[in-house]
Amino acid sequence: MTAEAPITRPSSADVARRAGVSRATVSYILNGRTDVRISEQTRDRVLAAVHDLGYVPNATARTLRAGRGNTVLIPMLELPASPASDAFTAHFARELAERDLCLLVHGGRERAGLEAARAWAELRPAAVIAHAQQCPPESVDFLRRAGVEVVALLGAHPDPATAAIPIPMDPNAVARAAADHLIRRGCRRLACLVPGDPLTILSVPRFETVKKVAAASGLLVERVDCDLTEQSLTPTITRWRAEPETRPDGVYAYNDEHALLLIEVLREAGLRVPSDIAVVGSGNFPMGRILRPHLTTTYGPAEHMAALAAAAIRAALDADDTPPPAEPPHPELIVRESA
Amino acid sequence: MTAEAPITRPSSADVARRAGVSRATVSYILNGRTDVRISEQTRDRVLAAVHDLGYVPNATARTLRAGRGNTVLIPMLELPASPASDAFTAHFARELAERDLCLLVHGGRERAGLEAARAWAELRPAAVIAHAQQCPPESVDFLRRAGVEVVALLGAHPDPATAAIPIPMDPNAVARAAADHLIRRGCRRLACLVPGDPLTILSVPRFETVKKVAAASGLLVERVDCDLTEQSLTPTITRWRAEPETRPDGVYAYNDEHALLLIEVLREAGLRVPSDIAVVGSGNFPMGRILRPHLTTTYGPAEHMAALAAAAIRAALDADDTPPPAEPPHPELIVRESA
DNA sequence: CTGTTAGCGCGTTCAG
DNA sequence: CTGAACGCGCTAACAG
C-alpha cells in the first residue's frame, strides 16, 4: 500500500501511439463518424488499444471543445424527498438517458439565487432545470450569458421577456383538486394544514390556493400551522372537539403523511373520519392506500411531467421550434375512504 | 423570439481584454493567490470586468488542466428513496460542500458494472462513491486507470488487494439489531418480510442476517415474500391466524412502511400487536412514530455515516494516511409499542 | 513588486 | 488517414 502505482490516465494520444495511428483517427473511430472511412484493420487495432489501456474519453475535454456537455443539471432540493419528487427524478433521469443526456443532481452548498447559478454554470451543462423559485430572471440571464444555452424552469409561466423555457407544472394544483373534491362532497367549513420550516415554500401557497377555491364558493378556510407531530395538532383538535358548530367538516392536510397524522389525532379525540371530518391528502403515498381509513388523495402525474420536462429540454437543445405545452397536466384524484 | 441573441460565453480572455490586463493576471486574482502581488486597482478593474460580463470560470477547463475536478459522483440508486437514504444524501452533500467539494448524483442509464464506471469516469470527478455491489473490483481498477484517483465503496470490507476506500456501513446491521431485540424480548418463532422486485438486493441479505441471528439462539425464521400490498400478505396472515401454535411471535418487517402494512393486515385478521405478534421495522419513518401502535424500529445514523464517508473521501484526496474507521457505526434501536 | 509570455492538458475538426 | 489549430484556465519562467 505504500508505493502507490502511478495512475495511468491514458489519453487518446496513448491510444493513437499504441495503435500506430494519429489522434484524429482515434477520434473518428470512437465517434463512429460515417463521413470518414476507416479500414477495418485500423479500426480493430484502435479498439484493441482502447480496451487494453482502459481508455475512457475525457468528457471534460470534449465539453471544453464543444462548448457544452451532455449533462442536465438539476439542483438538489432542501425539502425532504417525497414519493412524488423521487418518482419525478427517477423518470426524468431515464427519459434523458434515452436521449444520451445524463442527469446530474447538483448538491452544491447554494441551492438558489445567483451564487447557485454560478456553481451550476461552472460545469457547462447542456441544460439546467430548476424550480422557478430557485432561479429568478436575473439568474436565468446570468446562466445564459455564462454559456448555458438551455434553462428550464419548473412551474414557471410562459414569459416572452425571458429566455427560460417554462415547464408547465403547478405545485398547487393538487391543493385545488383536493379543495374542489371536499366542496363537491358537501363540506361547508374547511381547514388546511400548513406545515412549517422546510415545507413552508410549498405549504403556504397550497393554503392560499385552498382559500381561493373556497372563497369562490363563499366558504372560509381555517389555517392550521403545524409540523409532523401530534403535539402541534392537539390544541386545534381539542378546540374542534369542544366546538362542533364551528369546527371544519373537511380538511386538506397538505400531504398524505400529514393526513395520516391528522386522522390519528382526530381518532384519539373521538372524531370520526370522514363522517365528522373529511380529510384529503396529496402525493399518493403507499401508506395512504394501506392504512384505515384508506386515504383520499390528489397527486401530480410524476411520470408524465418528467416526460414533458425531458421533451421540452430535448426540443430546446435541438432548436426545435415546437413550443412545450402551456398547460400543466391535470392532477389525479383518488377517492378512497377518508373523504 | 426568432432572432436569438448570440450567447456571449465570456472567457478569461474577454475579462482580461476588458480590464486591460493579461489572462494570467485574471487567473491570479480569481484564485486569490497570495504569492503573487497584484495592485488594488488592477484587482478592482478585473473584478468589475468579471461582474460586467457575467463571467463564470469554466470548471471543465480547470478540470482538464488539473486532471481532476472538485466533484464527487454518487450513482443514483434504482431503489425508491427512503427517509434514510434521503438524509444520507442531504448530509453527505452538506459535508462535502463544507470542503469545497460538490456532490453530483449521477443519473446515467447504467447504474452498475463497467459500463456505469465508464460513464462516471468520463466526468473526471475527484472521487466516486458507490455501493460495493454496484462497483466490483474490476470497476474500481477501471476507474482508477481512467484517472479517478479516489474510489470509495459503501459497505465494502477493507481489502489490501484493492485500491478502493471502504466506507464502513453495514446495511444488514439494522436487521441484526431488530432480530436481537425480538429475541431478547422473548420471541421464540420469528418471521421476516422479504419484499421483492427493486428491494430484493436489500431485503434478501437482511433476511439472511435475521436467520443467522436466530440460528445462534436455536430459532428458526419464516420467510415471507411480499410487496407493499395487503394481498401479498393475506395468505400468510390467514394461515397464522388458523395455526396459533406454529405462527411466529415476532416479525422483522424489513422497514417501517412494511411494518405498518403488516400491522394493518394483522389487525384486520384479529391479531394483536405486540401481544400476539411483535413487529419491528427499520428506518425510523415519521409515520412509525405517529401511528398506533407506535412502531419499534432500528435505523442507521445517516448523519454520522455521511460525515464518516465525507471524512474518508477528504482524507484520501489529501493523501492523509489516517485510515478510516474499520467499524461501521452501530444502528440505533427505538423501542416503542410494537415490540 | 507587478505583471506578461508561452505552453500544457485532451478531444475535435478542417484542410490537406 | 495525418498535421495542426482550437477551446479555456493554469502556472512556470521571465521582464519591466
Side-chain angles (χ1 to χ4, degrees):
Chain A
M1 284 300 272
T2 44
E4 285 282 331
I7 290 182
T8 339
R9 218 189 284 274
S11 75
S12 76
D14 298 312
V15 174
R17 209 169 1 254
R18 184 172 178 117
V21 297
S22 71
R23 290 161 59 213
T25 307
V26 174
S27 175
Y28 290 144
I29 292 175
L30 262 46
N31 293 328
R33 284 182 54 149
T34 50
D35 55 337
V36 185
R37 279 176 321 192
I38 309 263
S39 79
E40 198 65 24
Q41 311 165 30
T42 310
R43 227 182 68 90
D44 289 349
R45 277 215 316 285
V46 168
L47 291 180
V50 165
H51 181 265
D52 292 349
L53 297 172
Y55 168 72
V56 175
N58 189 330
T60 241
R62 200 207 312 274
T63 300
L64 174 59
R65 172 70 198 176
R68 72 145 100 126
N70 70 329
T71 61
V72 174
L73 232 55
I74 185 168
M76 200 173 274
L77 292 174
E78 298 284 2
L79 306 171
S82 69
S85 64
D86 186 40
F88 177 84
T89 308
H91 283 116
F92 189 48
R94 205 175 309 277
E95 289 278 344
L96 291 175
E98 220 69 65
R99 319 274 193 167
D100 279 316
L101 289 168
C102 171
L103 180 65
L104 292 179
V105 183
H106 189 279
R109 176 159 261 321
E110 300 289 338
R111 300 288 163 88
L114 272 174
E115 274 313 299
R118 233 190 69 88
W120 305 336
E122 276 196 354
L123 296 171
R124 293 293 189 272
V128 166
I129 181 168
H131 286 266
Q133 297 100 321
Q134 299 177 290
C135 196
E138 63 261 29
S139 290
V140 175
D141 291 346
F142 183 83
L143 282 167
R144 290 183 47 90
R145 292 178 63 84
V148 180
E149 289 189 39
V150 174
V151 180
L153 293 184
L154 292 161
H157 298 290
D159 176 2
T162 174
I165 296 166
I167 310 284
M169 176 191 261
D170 181 357
N172 300 320
V174 286
R176 190 160 23 245
D180 277 341
H181 175 70
L182 285 171
I183 293 171
R184 263 202 318 276
R185 202 185 170 283
C187 294
R188 283 297 163 258
R189 292 172 170 278
L190 299 187
C192 183
L193 262 42
V194 183
D197 227 6
L199 296 176
T200 334
I201 326 140
L202 291 173
S203 62
V204 171
R206 289 195 188 171
F207 166 65
E208 300 295 342
T209 303
V210 171
K211 214 163 70 171
K212 218 166 289 174
V213 171
S217 300
L219 305 179
L220 291 178
V221 182
E222 176 177 348
R223 170 174 175 156
V224 182
D225 289 287
C226 68
D227 54 37
L228 206 50
T229 64
E230 294 169 297
Q231 303 92 292
S232 72
L233 285 177
T234 310
T236 303
I237 274 58
T238 306
R239 179 162 45 76
W240 287 358
R241 185 179 47 182
E243 306 171 0
E245 297 79 21
T246 66
R247 76 176 173 223
D249 51 5
V251 183
Y252 176 57
Y254 171 74
N255 74 8
D256 287 358
E257 244 174 358
H258 287 78
L260 292 172
L261 164 67
L262 173 63
I263 290 174
E264 181 63 32
V265 180
L266 288 173
R267 214 173 47 70
E268 285 172 11
L271 292 169
R272 295 275 156 197
V273 174
S275 48
D276 292 324
I277 298 183
V279 175
V280 180
S282 280
N284 192 23
F285 286 42
M287 282 299 100
R289 199 189 56 212
I290 290 165
L291 299 173
R292 279 280 148 71
H294 294 319
L295 212 55
T296 293
T297 190
T298 61
Y299 68 99
E303 196 160 347
H304 181 198
M305 294 193 298
L308 227 64
I313 284 177
R314 174 65 183 180
L317 286 174
D318 293 351
D320 271 8
D321 282 338
T322 24
E327 285 302 309
H330 281 294
E332 308 282 337
L333 166 69
I334 304 184
V335 180
R336 290 193 280 234
E337 300 172 348
S338 71
Chain B
M1 282 300 271
T2 43
E4 285 281 333
I7 291 184
T8 340
R9 217 191 283 274
S11 73
S12 74
D14 298 311
V15 175
R17 205 164 9 250
R18 182 168 179 118
V21 298
S22 70
R23 291 163 57 216
T25 306
V26 173
S27 175
Y28 290 144
I29 293 175
L30 262 46
N31 294 327
R33 285 182 53 151
T34 51
D35 54 338
V36 184
R37 295 233 165 280
I38 308 267
S39 77
E40 197 65 21
Q41 312 165 27
T42 310
R43 225 182 70 91
D44 289 348
R45 277 217 315 287
V46 168
L47 292 180
V50 164
H51 181 263
D52 293 349
L53 296 172
Y55 167 73
V56 175
N58 188 329
T60 244
R62 200 209 312 275
T63 300
L64 174 59
R65 173 68 220 219
R68 72 145 100 125
N70 70 329
T71 61
V72 174
L73 232 55
I74 185 167
M76 200 174 275
L77 293 174
E78 299 284 1
L79 306 171
S82 68
S85 64
D86 187 40
F88 178 85
T89 308
H91 283 115
F92 189 47
R94 205 176 307 278
E95 289 279 344
L96 291 175
E98 218 70 64
R99 319 273 192 167
D100 280 315
L101 290 167
C102 171
L103 181 64
L104 292 179
V105 183
H106 188 280
R109 176 160 260 323
E110 301 288 338
R111 301 287 164 90
L114 272 174
E115 273 314 299
R118 234 192 68 89
W120 305 337
E122 275 196 355
L123 295 172
R124 293 293 190 271
V128 166
I129 180 167
H131 285 266
Q133 297 101 321
Q134 301 178 289
C135 196
E138 64 261 29
S139 291
V140 175
D141 291 346
F142 183 84
L143 282 167
R144 291 182 48 90
R145 291 177 63 85
V148 180
E149 289 188 41
V150 174
V151 180
L153 294 183
L154 291 161
H157 298 291
D159 175 2
T162 175
I165 296 166
I167 310 283
M169 175 190 263
D170 181 358
N172 301 320
V174 285
R176 189 157 27 241
D180 276 341
H181 175 69
L182 286 171
I183 294 171
R184 262 202 319 275
R185 202 185 169 285
C187 295
R188 283 295 162 261
R189 293 172 170 279
L190 299 188
C192 183
L193 263 42
V194 184
D197 227 5
L199 296 177
T200 334
I201 327 142
L202 290 173
S203 62
V204 171
R206 288 194 189 173
F207 166 65
E208 300 296 342
T209 303
V210 171
K211 213 162 70 171
K212 217 167 289 175
V213 171
S217 299
L219 305 180
L220 292 178
V221 182
E222 177 177 347
R223 171 174 175 156
V224 182
D225 288 288
C226 67
D227 54 37
L228 206 50
T229 64
E230 294 168 296
Q231 303 91 292
S232 70
L233 285 177
T234 311
T236 304
I237 273 59
T238 307
R239 178 161 47 76
W240 287 357
R241 186 179 46 181
E243 307 170 0
E245 297 79 21
T246 65
R247 76 174 173 226
D249 52 4
V251 183
Y252 176 58
Y254 171 74
N255 74 9
D256 288 359
E257 245 175 356
H258 288 79
L260 291 172
L261 164 66
L262 172 64
I263 290 174
E264 182 62 32
V265 181
L266 288 173
R267 213 173 48 71
E268 285 173 12
L271 292 170
R272 294 274 157 197
V273 174
S275 49
D276 291 323
I277 298 182
V279 175
V280 180
S282 279
N284 193 22
F285 286 42
M287 282 300 100
R289 201 190 54 212
I290 290 166
L291 300 173
R292 281 280 147 70
H294 294 319
L295 212 56
T296 293
T297 190
T298 61
Y299 68 99
E303 197 161 346
H304 180 197
M305 294 193 297
L308 227 64
I313 284 177
R314 174 65 183 178
L317 286 174
D318 293 353
D320 270 10
D321 283 336
T322 22
E327 286 300 310
H330 282 294
E332 308 282 336
L333 165 70
I334 304 184
V335 180
R336 291 193 278 234
E337 300 172 348
S338 71

